[in-house]
Amino acid sequence: MTLIIKSIKAEIVNLGLTKPYSIAYKTVDSVANVIVKIESESGLIGYGAANPSSYVVGEENEDVIKQLTEDNLSVFIGRDLIKFYELIGDVQSRFTSVGARIALEIAFHDLFTCHLGIPLVDFYGRKISSLPTSVTIGIMDIDETLVEADQYAADGFKNLKVKLGKSVDEDIERIHKLKEHISDNMVVRIDANQGWSVGDTVKFYNETSNLKIELIEQPLKQEAVDDMRGLPDGLKAIVAADESLRSPEDALNLAQKPIASGIYNIKLMKCAGLTKAKDIAVIAEIAGIDLMWGCNDESVISITAALHIAFSCPNTKYIDLDGSLDLKTDVVKGGFILQDGLMSIGDKPGLGLTEM
């Protein structure tokens, strides 16, 4: 049976944001995504999305859409998606944009597994049925932090990720106040977004060691891998490499002994493909490194794709896939299931999406 590609369309869509937030190096008050839609001659549709970070991978949505032109996409029209991996190889070889690669790969995966009649996660082999996602509290003062934590707790979330990285002394005080305020069954992760020095990182770890912080995401600059290797073993075990991990090659480097971090934070918007994400996951599994799956501000499309790939990896221990929760609108509905902070996947084919 053939699955001939009839059309591919790509556009930038403004999805809005219900509330602005701040991290160590910027304030975000609006969100747009590149949306890809592939249709087969049989009427099946596959969706893809991208929102890369210029700070991490050096490109904006405008750079992505410049590559996803009708002329560049015409190479796929009339081809049979049954030759799935051949098409995925062409995506990786013909496009240099990280965002273009990931948006196309997601759309091809969605369309292909819709055709197979199975969820994407089952194509790779489902290993996990559900996990709690963390929800993010941006950089704000202590009183605002406590109010937002209460709001998330009321919504059923039990995992908080707090953005830090401007002043380590203020960060320590803020986390102590937060832990005093919230329930003992609330888990706290923190993300310094490259905002600390080695000394800051060790100081934070030592002065919060009694608080049971679950993990510390990318405290040092992305190029400071040797400094990461030199951190104390107990600290390094709970450090999640984020901006330092953009490719399978980075994963191999970080895994060289002494390892640079005990956790890899995989983001589709960094690694330029679901297949590249799987490569990173396999390297981590061999090296005994746990996986966290993160995101930018993204459509339900790519958030759901990340969840499917995450649940196909046995070493996935953490998910931070809240990137669509504060969007004002989206182009699709469906995808993942979220209940009391717990994310799971249903049994609909592909990504389980329907157009809004």
Side-chain angles (χ1 to χ4, degrees), residues 161 163 191 215 217-218 239-246 254 261-268 270-271 280 289-295 318-321:
K161 188 176 88 167
K163 295 285 189 176
D191 183 2
L215 59 83
E217 192 177 336
Q218 194 70 42
V239 166
D242 180 6
E243 286 88 352
S244 295
L245 177 67
R246 291 167 291 171
L254 290 163
S261 68
I263 305 165
Y264 283 176
N265 182 7
I266 302 178
K267 291 180 181 175
L268 301 185
K270 293 183 300 183
C271 60
I280 293 171
I289 294 168
D290 293 335
L291 296 181
M292 175 183 183
W293 295 77
C295 60
Y318 318 97
I319 56 172
D320 178 41
L321 296 174

PDB file of all heavy atoms in Angstrom, residues 161 163 191 215 217-218 239-246 254 261-268 270-271 280 289-295 318-321:
ATOM      1  N   LYS A 161       9.241  23.440  38.748  1.00  0.00           N
ATOM      2  CA  LYS A 161      10.587  23.794  38.303  1.00  0.00           C
ATOM      3  C   LYS A 161      10.716  25.308  38.418  1.00  0.00           C
ATOM      4  O   LYS A 161       9.936  26.044  37.822  1.00  0.00           O
ATOM      5  CB  LYS A 161      10.864  23.352  36.865  1.00  0.00           C
ATOM      6  CG  LYS A 161      12.333  23.558  36.484  1.00  0.00           C
ATOM      7  CD  LYS A 161      12.656  23.038  35.099  1.00  0.00           C
ATOM      8  CE  LYS A 161      12.403  24.080  34.044  1.00  0.00           C
ATOM      9  NZ  LYS A 161      12.991  23.716  32.738  1.00  0.00           N
ATOM     10  N   LYS A 163      12.849  28.770  38.002  1.00  0.00           N
ATOM     11  CA  LYS A 163      13.925  29.431  37.270  1.00  0.00           C
ATOM     12  C   LYS A 163      14.734  30.307  38.221  1.00  0.00           C
ATOM     13  O   LYS A 163      14.186  31.139  38.945  1.00  0.00           O
ATOM     14  CB  LYS A 163      13.348  30.290  36.143  1.00  0.00           C
ATOM     15  CG  LYS A 163      12.646  29.505  35.043  1.00  0.00           C
ATOM     16  CD  LYS A 163      13.632  28.802  34.123  1.00  0.00           C
ATOM     17  CE  LYS A 163      12.918  28.204  32.913  1.00  0.00           C
ATOM     18  NZ  LYS A 163      13.873  27.602  31.965  1.00  0.00           N
ATOM     19  N   ASP A 191      16.242  25.440  37.682  1.00  0.00           N
ATOM     20  CA  ASP A 191      16.921  25.664  36.407  1.00  0.00           C
ATOM     21  C   ASP A 191      17.627  27.010  36.481  1.00  0.00           C
ATOM     22  O   ASP A 191      16.986  28.060  36.514  1.00  0.00           O
ATOM     23  CB  ASP A 191      15.915  25.653  35.254  1.00  0.00           C
ATOM     24  CG  ASP A 191      16.576  25.802  33.890  1.00  0.00           C
ATOM     25  OD1 ASP A 191      17.824  25.877  33.833  1.00  0.00           O
ATOM     26  OD2 ASP A 191      15.842  25.837  32.882  1.00  0.00           O
ATOM     27  N   LEU A 215      16.651  18.049  41.073  1.00  0.00           N
ATOM     28  CA  LEU A 215      17.704  18.200  40.076  1.00  0.00           C
ATOM     29  C   LEU A 215      18.015  19.673  39.866  1.00  0.00           C
ATOM     30  O   LEU A 215      17.206  20.550  40.203  1.00  0.00           O
ATOM     31  CB  LEU A 215      17.343  17.517  38.754  1.00  0.00           C
ATOM     32  CG  LEU A 215      16.082  17.960  38.003  1.00  0.00           C
ATOM     33  CD1 LEU A 215      16.317  19.191  37.141  1.00  0.00           C
ATOM     34  CD2 LEU A 215      15.545  16.820  37.147  1.00  0.00           C
ATOM     35  N   GLU A 217      19.214  22.092  36.771  1.00  0.00           N
ATOM     36  CA  GLU A 217      19.363  22.114  35.317  1.00  0.00           C
ATOM     37  C   GLU A 217      20.351  23.198  34.886  1.00  0.00           C
ATOM     38  O   GLU A 217      20.225  24.360  35.274  1.00  0.00           O
ATOM     39  CB  GLU A 217      17.988  22.369  34.683  1.00  0.00           C
ATOM     40  CG  GLU A 217      17.926  22.149  33.203  1.00  0.00           C
ATOM     41  CD  GLU A 217      16.505  22.346  32.676  1.00  0.00           C
ATOM     42  OE1 GLU A 217      15.543  22.192  33.457  1.00  0.00           O
ATOM     43  OE2 GLU A 217      16.373  22.668  31.484  1.00  0.00           O
ATOM     44  N   GLN A 218      21.349  22.802  34.122  1.00  0.00           N
ATOM     45  CA  GLN A 218      22.348  23.655  33.465  1.00  0.00           C
ATOM     46  C   GLN A 218      22.755  24.885  34.279  1.00  0.00           C
ATOM     47  O   GLN A 218      22.473  26.021  33.908  1.00  0.00           O
ATOM     48  CB  GLN A 218      21.825  24.113  32.103  1.00  0.00           C
ATOM     49  CG  GLN A 218      22.907  24.711  31.187  1.00  0.00           C
ATOM     50  CD  GLN A 218      23.900  23.696  30.662  1.00  0.00           C
ATOM     51  OE1 GLN A 218      23.524  22.601  30.279  1.00  0.00           O
ATOM     52  NE2 GLN A 218      25.164  24.047  30.631  1.00  0.00           N
ATOM     53  N   VAL A 239      22.798  17.103  38.387  1.00  0.00           N
ATOM     54  CA  VAL A 239      22.878  18.145  37.370  1.00  0.00           C
ATOM     55  C   VAL A 239      22.362  17.596  36.045  1.00  0.00           C
ATOM     56  O   VAL A 239      22.769  16.516  35.602  1.00  0.00           O
ATOM     57  CB  VAL A 239      24.317  18.662  37.211  1.00  0.00           C
ATOM     58  CG1 VAL A 239      24.456  19.496  35.932  1.00  0.00           C
ATOM     59  CG2 VAL A 239      24.725  19.497  38.417  1.00  0.00           C
ATOM     60  N   ALA A 240      21.459  18.349  35.420  1.00  0.00           N
ATOM     61  CA  ALA A 240      20.929  17.978  34.107  1.00  0.00           C
ATOM     62  C   ALA A 240      21.547  18.883  33.048  1.00  0.00           C
ATOM     63  O   ALA A 240      21.383  20.113  33.097  1.00  0.00           O
ATOM     64  CB  ALA A 240      19.408  18.116  34.089  1.00  0.00           C
ATOM     65  N   ALA A 241      22.272  18.296  32.115  1.00  0.00           N
ATOM     66  CA  ALA A 241      22.837  19.064  31.010  1.00  0.00           C
ATOM     67  C   ALA A 241      21.722  19.459  30.055  1.00  0.00           C
ATOM     68  O   ALA A 241      20.962  18.617  29.593  1.00  0.00           O
ATOM     69  CB  ALA A 241      23.887  18.231  30.274  1.00  0.00           C
ATOM     70  N   ASP A 242      21.623  20.747  29.762  1.00  0.00           N
ATOM     71  CA  ASP A 242      20.587  21.240  28.856  1.00  0.00           C
ATOM     72  C   ASP A 242      21.230  21.911  27.650  1.00  0.00           C
ATOM     73  O   ASP A 242      21.430  21.281  26.608  1.00  0.00           O
ATOM     74  CB  ASP A 242      19.655  22.200  29.604  1.00  0.00           C
ATOM     75  CG  ASP A 242      18.537  22.754  28.720  1.00  0.00           C
ATOM     76  OD1 ASP A 242      18.403  22.317  27.558  1.00  0.00           O
ATOM     77  OD2 ASP A 242      17.796  23.639  29.187  1.00  0.00           O
ATOM     78  N   GLU A 243      21.608  23.186  27.787  1.00  0.00           N
ATOM     79  CA  GLU A 243      22.193  23.886  26.643  1.00  0.00           C
ATOM     80  C   GLU A 243      23.493  23.246  26.168  1.00  0.00           C
ATOM     81  O   GLU A 243      23.877  23.415  25.004  1.00  0.00           O
ATOM     82  CB  GLU A 243      22.426  25.365  27.001  1.00  0.00           C
ATOM     83  CG  GLU A 243      21.165  26.204  27.055  1.00  0.00           C
ATOM     84  CD  GLU A 243      20.484  26.188  28.417  1.00  0.00           C
ATOM     85  OE1 GLU A 243      20.908  25.409  29.298  1.00  0.00           O
ATOM     86  OE2 GLU A 243      19.526  26.949  28.612  1.00  0.00           O
ATOM     87  N   SER A 244      24.173  22.513  27.048  1.00  0.00           N
ATOM     88  CA  SER A 244      25.409  21.812  26.652  1.00  0.00           C
ATOM     89  C   SER A 244      25.131  20.569  25.812  1.00  0.00           C
ATOM     90  O   SER A 244      26.067  19.967  25.276  1.00  0.00           O
ATOM     91  CB  SER A 244      26.207  21.391  27.886  1.00  0.00           C
ATOM     92  OG  SER A 244      26.661  22.507  28.610  1.00  0.00           O
ATOM     93  N   LEU A 245      23.856  20.193  25.701  1.00  0.00           N
ATOM     94  CA  LEU A 245      23.481  18.952  25.007  1.00  0.00           C
ATOM     95  C   LEU A 245      22.585  19.286  23.821  1.00  0.00           C
ATOM     96  O   LEU A 245      21.381  19.456  23.966  1.00  0.00           O
ATOM     97  CB  LEU A 245      22.745  18.023  25.974  1.00  0.00           C
ATOM     98  CG  LEU A 245      22.206  16.713  25.398  1.00  0.00           C
ATOM     99  CD1 LEU A 245      23.347  15.791  24.972  1.00  0.00           C
ATOM    100  CD2 LEU A 245      21.308  16.022  26.402  1.00  0.00           C
ATOM    101  N   ARG A 246      23.205  19.371  22.640  1.00  0.00           N
ATOM    102  CA  ARG A 246      22.438  19.735  21.448  1.00  0.00           C
ATOM    103  C   ARG A 246      22.479  18.672  20.352  1.00  0.00           C
ATOM    104  O   ARG A 246      21.791  18.818  19.344  1.00  0.00           O
ATOM    105  CB  ARG A 246      22.972  21.062  20.882  1.00  0.00           C
ATOM    106  CG  ARG A 246      22.685  22.275  21.763  1.00  0.00           C
ATOM    107  CD  ARG A 246      23.489  23.473  21.330  1.00  0.00           C
ATOM    108  NE  ARG A 246      24.913  23.265  21.603  1.00  0.00           N
ATOM    109  CZ  ARG A 246      25.878  24.075  21.182  1.00  0.00           C
ATOM    110  NH1 ARG A 246      25.587  25.130  20.458  1.00  0.00           N
ATOM    111  NH2 ARG A 246      27.134  23.819  21.480  1.00  0.00           N
ATOM    112  N   LEU A 254      29.795  14.449  26.658  1.00  0.00           N
ATOM    113  CA  LEU A 254      29.395  14.592  28.058  1.00  0.00           C
ATOM    114  C   LEU A 254      29.523  13.279  28.825  1.00  0.00           C
ATOM    115  O   LEU A 254      29.724  13.278  30.042  1.00  0.00           O
ATOM    116  CB  LEU A 254      27.957  15.097  28.138  1.00  0.00           C
ATOM    117  CG  LEU A 254      27.712  16.546  27.699  1.00  0.00           C
ATOM    118  CD1 LEU A 254      26.238  16.781  27.436  1.00  0.00           C
ATOM    119  CD2 LEU A 254      28.230  17.524  28.736  1.00  0.00           C
ATOM    120  N   SER A 261      27.549  15.125  33.727  1.00  0.00           N
ATOM    121  CA  SER A 261      26.261  15.268  34.418  1.00  0.00           C
ATOM    122  C   SER A 261      25.581  13.918  34.510  1.00  0.00           C
ATOM    123  O   SER A 261      25.793  13.050  33.660  1.00  0.00           O
ATOM    124  CB  SER A 261      25.348  16.257  33.692  1.00  0.00           C
ATOM    125  OG  SER A 261      24.936  15.743  32.443  1.00  0.00           O
ATOM    126  N   GLY A 262      24.769  13.756  35.530  1.00  0.00           N
ATOM    127  CA  GLY A 262      24.066  12.491  35.710  1.00  0.00           C
ATOM    128  C   GLY A 262      22.745  12.417  34.986  1.00  0.00           C
ATOM    129  O   GLY A 262      22.104  11.362  34.968  1.00  0.00           O
ATOM    130  N   ILE A 263      22.335  13.545  34.378  1.00  0.00           N
ATOM    131  CA  ILE A 263      21.039  13.620  33.697  1.00  0.00           C
ATOM    132  C   ILE A 263      21.223  14.370  32.384  1.00  0.00           C
ATOM    133  O   ILE A 263      21.936  15.379  32.330  1.00  0.00           O
ATOM    134  CB  ILE A 263      19.993  14.357  34.568  1.00  0.00           C
ATOM    135  CG1 ILE A 263      19.874  13.717  35.956  1.00  0.00           C
ATOM    136  CG2 ILE A 263      18.638  14.400  33.877  1.00  0.00           C
ATOM    137  CD1 ILE A 263      19.147  14.586  36.971  1.00  0.00           C
ATOM    138  N   TYR A 264      20.583  13.892  31.333  1.00  0.00           N
ATOM    139  CA  TYR A 264      20.522  14.603  30.062  1.00  0.00           C
ATOM    140  C   TYR A 264      19.120  15.177  29.882  1.00  0.00           C
ATOM    141  O   TYR A 264      18.139  14.440  29.976  1.00  0.00           O
ATOM    142  CB  TYR A 264      20.806  13.666  28.882  1.00  0.00           C
ATOM    143  CG  TYR A 264      22.259  13.298  28.662  1.00  0.00           C
ATOM    144  CD1 TYR A 264      22.596  12.392  27.662  1.00  0.00           C
ATOM    145  CD2 TYR A 264      23.282  13.851  29.434  1.00  0.00           C
ATOM    146  CE1 TYR A 264      23.931  12.037  27.434  1.00  0.00           C
ATOM    147  CE2 TYR A 264      24.603  13.500  29.211  1.00  0.00           C
ATOM    148  CZ  TYR A 264      24.916  12.594  28.211  1.00  0.00           C
ATOM    149  OH  TYR A 264      26.232  12.247  27.989  1.00  0.00           O
ATOM    150  N   ASN A 265      19.044  16.470  29.623  1.00  0.00           N
ATOM    151  CA  ASN A 265      17.766  17.091  29.288  1.00  0.00           C
ATOM    152  C   ASN A 265      17.675  17.199  27.772  1.00  0.00           C
ATOM    153  O   ASN A 265      18.335  18.041  27.159  1.00  0.00           O
ATOM    154  CB  ASN A 265      17.636  18.468  29.934  1.00  0.00           C
ATOM    155  CG  ASN A 265      16.286  19.120  29.652  1.00  0.00           C
ATOM    156  OD1 ASN A 265      15.390  18.503  29.086  1.00  0.00           O
ATOM    157  ND2 ASN A 265      16.137  20.367  30.052  1.00  0.00           N
ATOM    158  N   ILE A 266      16.863  16.337  27.178  1.00  0.00           N
ATOM    159  CA  ILE A 266      16.700  16.332  25.721  1.00  0.00           C
ATOM    160  C   ILE A 266      15.536  17.252  25.349  1.00  0.00           C
ATOM    161  O   ILE A 266      14.439  17.130  25.884  1.00  0.00           O
ATOM    162  CB  ILE A 266      16.425  14.917  25.194  1.00  0.00           C
ATOM    163  CG1 ILE A 266      17.557  13.973  25.587  1.00  0.00           C
ATOM    164  CG2 ILE A 266      16.240  14.940  23.672  1.00  0.00           C
ATOM    165  CD1 ILE A 266      17.331  12.530  25.151  1.00  0.00           C
ATOM    166  N   LYS A 267      15.807  18.162  24.436  1.00  0.00           N
ATOM    167  CA  LYS A 267      14.767  19.013  23.864  1.00  0.00           C
ATOM    168  C   LYS A 267      14.780  18.830  22.358  1.00  0.00           C
ATOM    169  O   LYS A 267      15.835  18.947  21.725  1.00  0.00           O
ATOM    170  CB  LYS A 267      14.993  20.488  24.208  1.00  0.00           C
ATOM    171  CG  LYS A 267      14.781  20.839  25.663  1.00  0.00           C
ATOM    172  CD  LYS A 267      15.028  22.321  25.913  1.00  0.00           C
ATOM    173  CE  LYS A 267      14.830  22.681  27.376  1.00  0.00           C
ATOM    174  NZ  LYS A 267      15.183  24.100  27.645  1.00  0.00           N
ATOM    175  N   LEU A 268      13.627  18.556  21.784  1.00  0.00           N
ATOM    176  CA  LEU A 268      13.566  18.380  20.341  1.00  0.00           C
ATOM    177  C   LEU A 268      14.050  19.627  19.616  1.00  0.00           C
ATOM    178  O   LEU A 268      14.630  19.539  18.529  1.00  0.00           O
ATOM    179  CB  LEU A 268      12.136  18.049  19.910  1.00  0.00           C
ATOM    180  CG  LEU A 268      11.510  16.785  20.507  1.00  0.00           C
ATOM    181  CD1 LEU A 268      10.143  16.530  19.875  1.00  0.00           C
ATOM    182  CD2 LEU A 268      12.410  15.572  20.332  1.00  0.00           C
ATOM    183  N   LYS A 270      16.444  21.487  20.252  1.00  0.00           N
ATOM    184  CA  LYS A 270      17.908  21.592  20.210  1.00  0.00           C
ATOM    185  C   LYS A 270      18.518  20.578  19.258  1.00  0.00           C
ATOM    186  O   LYS A 270      19.483  20.872  18.555  1.00  0.00           O
ATOM    187  CB  LYS A 270      18.504  21.353  21.597  1.00  0.00           C
ATOM    188  CG  LYS A 270      18.227  22.376  22.650  1.00  0.00           C
ATOM    189  CD  LYS A 270      18.947  22.032  23.937  1.00  0.00           C
ATOM    190  CE  LYS A 270      18.535  20.681  24.493  1.00  0.00           C
ATOM    191  NZ  LYS A 270      19.165  20.345  25.772  1.00  0.00           N
ATOM    192  N   CYS A 271      17.964  19.360  19.246  1.00  0.00           N
ATOM    193  CA  CYS A 271      18.692  18.249  18.605  1.00  0.00           C
ATOM    194  C   CYS A 271      18.255  17.969  17.173  1.00  0.00           C
ATOM    195  O   CYS A 271      18.765  17.044  16.549  1.00  0.00           O
ATOM    196  CB  CYS A 271      18.588  16.992  19.450  1.00  0.00           C
ATOM    197  SG  CYS A 271      16.927  16.375  19.732  1.00  0.00           S
ATOM    198  N   ILE A 280      20.529  10.261  21.090  1.00  0.00           N
ATOM    199  CA  ILE A 280      21.007  10.778  22.371  1.00  0.00           C
ATOM    200  C   ILE A 280      20.552   9.873  23.508  1.00  0.00           C
ATOM    201  O   ILE A 280      21.318   9.568  24.434  1.00  0.00           O
ATOM    202  CB  ILE A 280      20.520  12.221  22.589  1.00  0.00           C
ATOM    203  CG1 ILE A 280      21.173  13.169  21.585  1.00  0.00           C
ATOM    204  CG2 ILE A 280      20.799  12.678  24.024  1.00  0.00           C
ATOM    205  CD1 ILE A 280      20.600  14.567  21.585  1.00  0.00           C
ATOM    206  N   ILE A 289      23.076   7.110  32.157  1.00  0.00           N
ATOM    207  CA  ILE A 289      22.627   8.477  32.437  1.00  0.00           C
ATOM    208  C   ILE A 289      21.111   8.555  32.290  1.00  0.00           C
ATOM    209  O   ILE A 289      20.541   8.059  31.304  1.00  0.00           O
ATOM    210  CB  ILE A 289      23.317   9.469  31.471  1.00  0.00           C
ATOM    211  CG1 ILE A 289      24.823   9.497  31.766  1.00  0.00           C
ATOM    212  CG2 ILE A 289      22.711  10.866  31.577  1.00  0.00           C
ATOM    213  CD1 ILE A 289      25.638  10.211  30.714  1.00  0.00           C
ATOM    214  N   ASP A 290      20.446   9.173  33.264  1.00  0.00           N
ATOM    215  CA  ASP A 290      18.997   9.321  33.217  1.00  0.00           C
ATOM    216  C   ASP A 290      18.588  10.421  32.242  1.00  0.00           C
ATOM    217  O   ASP A 290      19.384  11.316  31.931  1.00  0.00           O
ATOM    218  CB  ASP A 290      18.446   9.676  34.607  1.00  0.00           C
ATOM    219  CG  ASP A 290      18.601   8.547  35.604  1.00  0.00           C
ATOM    220  OD1 ASP A 290      18.679   7.386  35.168  1.00  0.00           O
ATOM    221  OD2 ASP A 290      18.642   8.830  36.818  1.00  0.00           O
ATOM    222  N   LEU A 291      17.340  10.340  31.799  1.00  0.00           N
ATOM    223  CA  LEU A 291      16.824  11.308  30.836  1.00  0.00           C
ATOM    224  C   LEU A 291      15.749  12.193  31.442  1.00  0.00           C
ATOM    225  O   LEU A 291      14.882  11.735  32.183  1.00  0.00           O
ATOM    226  CB  LEU A 291      16.224  10.604  29.621  1.00  0.00           C
ATOM    227  CG  LEU A 291      17.159   9.781  28.753  1.00  0.00           C
ATOM    228  CD1 LEU A 291      16.392   9.187  27.575  1.00  0.00           C
ATOM    229  CD2 LEU A 291      18.340  10.614  28.251  1.00  0.00           C
ATOM    230  N   MET A 292      15.836  13.464  31.094  1.00  0.00           N
ATOM    231  CA  MET A 292      14.782  14.440  31.316  1.00  0.00           C
ATOM    232  C   MET A 292      14.402  14.969  29.932  1.00  0.00           C
ATOM    233  O   MET A 292      15.266  15.144  29.069  1.00  0.00           O
ATOM    234  CB  MET A 292      15.303  15.574  32.196  1.00  0.00           C
ATOM    235  CG  MET A 292      14.343  16.718  32.422  1.00  0.00           C
ATOM    236  SD  MET A 292      15.161  18.007  33.412  1.00  0.00           S
ATOM    237  CE  MET A 292      13.812  19.161  33.621  1.00  0.00           C
ATOM    238  N   TRP A 293      13.126  15.202  29.706  1.00  0.00           N
ATOM    239  CA  TRP A 293      12.677  15.724  28.427  1.00  0.00           C
ATOM    240  C   TRP A 293      12.049  17.088  28.655  1.00  0.00           C
ATOM    241  O   TRP A 293      11.092  17.227  29.417  1.00  0.00           O
ATOM    242  CB  TRP A 293      11.687  14.765  27.755  1.00  0.00           C
ATOM    243  CG  TRP A 293      12.329  13.468  27.389  1.00  0.00           C
ATOM    244  CD1 TRP A 293      12.635  12.443  28.225  1.00  0.00           C
ATOM    245  CD2 TRP A 293      12.772  13.068  26.090  1.00  0.00           C
ATOM    246  NE1 TRP A 293      13.251  11.417  27.535  1.00  0.00           N
ATOM    247  CE2 TRP A 293      13.345  11.767  26.220  1.00  0.00           C
ATOM    248  CE3 TRP A 293      12.742  13.657  24.829  1.00  0.00           C
ATOM    249  CZ2 TRP A 293      13.874  11.074  25.138  1.00  0.00           C
ATOM    250  CZ3 TRP A 293      13.272  12.964  23.746  1.00  0.00           C
ATOM    251  CH2 TRP A 293      13.831  11.695  23.905  1.00  0.00           C
ATOM    252  N   GLY A 294      12.620  18.103  28.013  1.00  0.00           N
ATOM    253  CA  GLY A 294      12.180  19.467  28.206  1.00  0.00           C
ATOM    254  C   GLY A 294      11.632  20.081  26.934  1.00  0.00           C
ATOM    255  O   GLY A 294      11.451  19.403  25.915  1.00  0.00           O
ATOM    256  N   CYS A 295      11.386  21.374  26.983  1.00  0.00           N
ATOM    257  CA  CYS A 295      10.740  22.035  25.840  1.00  0.00           C
ATOM    258  C   CYS A 295      10.947  23.535  25.916  1.00  0.00           C
ATOM    259  O   CYS A 295      11.411  24.073  26.933  1.00  0.00           O
ATOM    260  CB  CYS A 295       9.243  21.722  25.845  1.00  0.00           C
ATOM    261  SG  CYS A 295       8.383  22.278  27.340  1.00  0.00           S
ATOM    262  N   TYR A 318      12.383  11.839  34.061  1.00  0.00           N
ATOM    263  CA  TYR A 318      11.756  13.127  34.338  1.00  0.00           C
ATOM    264  C   TYR A 318      11.193  13.724  33.045  1.00  0.00           C
ATOM    265  O   TYR A 318      11.799  13.576  31.980  1.00  0.00           O
ATOM    266  CB  TYR A 318      12.776  14.130  34.907  1.00  0.00           C
ATOM    267  CG  TYR A 318      13.726  13.564  35.933  1.00  0.00           C
ATOM    268  CD1 TYR A 318      15.010  13.139  35.554  1.00  0.00           C
ATOM    269  CD2 TYR A 318      13.367  13.456  37.263  1.00  0.00           C
ATOM    270  CE1 TYR A 318      15.902  12.632  36.495  1.00  0.00           C
ATOM    271  CE2 TYR A 318      14.255  12.946  38.214  1.00  0.00           C
ATOM    272  CZ  TYR A 318      15.511  12.536  37.817  1.00  0.00           C
ATOM    273  OH  TYR A 318      16.394  12.026  38.744  1.00  0.00           O
ATOM    274  N   ILE A 319      10.062  14.405  33.148  1.00  0.00           N
ATOM    275  CA  ILE A 319       9.568  15.190  32.019  1.00  0.00           C
ATOM    276  C   ILE A 319       9.238  16.597  32.495  1.00  0.00           C
ATOM    277  O   ILE A 319       8.763  16.805  33.614  1.00  0.00           O
ATOM    278  CB  ILE A 319       8.353  14.557  31.312  1.00  0.00           C
ATOM    279  CG1 ILE A 319       7.197  14.310  32.286  1.00  0.00           C
ATOM    280  CG2 ILE A 319       8.755  13.277  30.594  1.00  0.00           C
ATOM    281  CD1 ILE A 319       5.906  13.868  31.581  1.00  0.00           C
ATOM    282  N   ASP A 320       9.529  17.548  31.643  1.00  0.00           N
ATOM    283  CA  ASP A 320       9.257  18.970  31.898  1.00  0.00           C
ATOM    284  C   ASP A 320       8.606  19.515  30.625  1.00  0.00           C
ATOM    285  O   ASP A 320       9.202  20.292  29.886  1.00  0.00           O
ATOM    286  CB  ASP A 320      10.571  19.689  32.227  1.00  0.00           C
ATOM    287  CG  ASP A 320      10.375  21.177  32.456  1.00  0.00           C
ATOM    288  OD1 ASP A 320       9.382  21.561  33.104  1.00  0.00           O
ATOM    289  OD2 ASP A 320      11.221  21.963  31.982  1.00  0.00           O
ATOM    290  N   LEU A 321       7.397  19.047  30.378  1.00  0.00           N
ATOM    291  CA  LEU A 321       6.731  19.297  29.100  1.00  0.00           C
ATOM    292  C   LEU A 321       5.478  20.150  29.297  1.00  0.00           C
ATOM    293  O   LEU A 321       4.378  19.794  28.898  1.00  0.00           O
ATOM    294  CB  LEU A 321       6.406  17.966  28.418  1.00  0.00           C
ATOM    295  CG  LEU A 321       7.629  17.134  28.021  1.00  0.00           C
ATOM    296  CD1 LEU A 321       7.222  15.771  27.484  1.00  0.00           C
ATOM    297  CD2 LEU A 321       8.476  17.882  26.977  1.00  0.00           C
TER     298      LEU A 321
END
